[in-house]
Amino acid sequence: MKRWMTIAVLALMLGGCNWLYDMGSNNEATDPAFDISEAGLTVPDFEYVNQEGDPFGTEQLKGNYWLVNMIFTHCPGVCNIMTPNMVNLQDAMIEEGLDVKVVSFTVDPDRDTPELLKIYGENVGADFEYWSFVTGYSDEEITELAKTAFASIVQEDPENEDIIHTTDFFLVDDQGLVIRRYDGMATDQAEIINDLKATVE
């Protein structure tokens, strides 16, 4: 018994805080079922600011499909996988001619100013014609938005100087309904791209 407990503790130590991020995600990494349209999740009206400091919200997204994730610029872990994955999806959607916007909400709005988000976007290869980085709200507001619209958590992890947030990508349709959930940590994105093509086209 002691041996198995030791193995379990070592696994947790080696795994770091990745299991905490999984708490903020309803997605099994191997779950191919992307369709969550029956969950009844909708994005409430909002207006914040983008990386240019311009007003940005549901009014600017009206009539569009948009792919959403949550990041922050000094993220020590998962964002360094999620963001390149989103860049790949952005490029694939542009190549396929899919009319889908990308929206990244920062979960650290106090630190992530429009100026910092713009630098971050430029550094990762975001095309601002398609991709908006959003800030201009309180910690409480982004926590509530994550919970209400995406059934996920935003929670500070001061011990690791981190912020726990979902690693999923969410597809919102042109009516503001959250209809798809994708694994933002998956480097093989063929199934995601195929589903986006089938859903949006």
Side-chain angles (χ1 to χ4, degrees):
M1 177 64 89
K2 282 186 177 180
R3 181 177 174 220
W4 286 111
M5 288 183 68
T6 301
I7 291 172
V9 169
L10 282 172
L12 280 173
M13 290 173 63
L14 292 172
C17 62
N18 284 342
W19 67 276
L20 288 171
Y21 283 99
D22 290 338
M23 288 172 56
S25 168
N26 296 318
N27 190 29
E28 294 280 343
T30 57
D31 184 2
F34 303 132
D35 189 347
I36 59 168
S37 56
E38 296 301 315
L41 298 173
T42 61
V43 180
D45 288 345
F46 68 89
E47 183 177 307
Y48 302 126
V49 295
N50 64 12
Q51 73 281 347
E52 305 293 342
D54 296 330
F56 184 87
T58 44
E59 183 64 30
Q60 286 72 31
L61 291 163
K62 188 178 295 183
N64 290 291
Y65 280 78
W66 38 297
L67 195 59
V68 181
N69 72 342
M70 295 190 180
I71 53 93
F72 60 113
T73 59
H74 70 288
C75 177
V78 294
C79 301
N80 298 318
I81 299 172
M82 294 168 60
T83 298
N85 286 345
M86 187 66 91
V87 171
N88 290 338
L89 286 177
Q90 167 201 256
D91 293 345
M93 290 188 297
I94 292 172
E95 184 177 338
E96 294 288 344
L98 296 179
D99 188 14
V100 178
K101 304 297 183 184
V102 178
V103 179
S104 290
F105 291 96
T106 177
V107 295
D108 189 12
D110 289 338
R111 182 180 300 199
D112 285 343
T113 61
E115 295 79 12
L116 189 55
L117 287 171
K118 185 171 184 179
I119 293 169
Y120 179 83
E122 289 172 341
N123 287 342
V124 301
D127 185 333
F128 295 134
E129 184 177 343
Y130 298 91
W131 193 339
S132 298
F133 293 83
V134 187
T135 188
Y137 38 76
S138 66
D139 291 333
E140 292 76 18
E141 286 175 304
I142 189 59
T143 299
E144 183 61 25
L145 181 66
K147 177 183 175 183
T148 301
F150 307 111
S152 61
I153 65 169
V154 173
Q155 181 178 315
E156 288 193 21
D157 179 18
E159 184 177 338
N160 294 295
E161 298 183 356
D162 204 347
I163 301 172
I164 301 163
H165 58 90
T166 181
T167 58
D168 288 334
F169 298 162
F170 298 91
L171 182 65
V172 182
D173 74 7
D174 54 359
Q175 304 299 312
L177 303 176
V178 184
I179 60 171
R180 291 289 190 275
R181 183 185 64 220
Y182 305 118
D183 181 3
M185 300 292 284
T187 53
D188 183 355
Q189 298 174 320
E191 287 188 5
I192 297 176
I193 293 167
N194 287 338
D195 189 74
L196 282 167
K197 288 168 63 177
T199 304
V200 176
E201 290 179 344

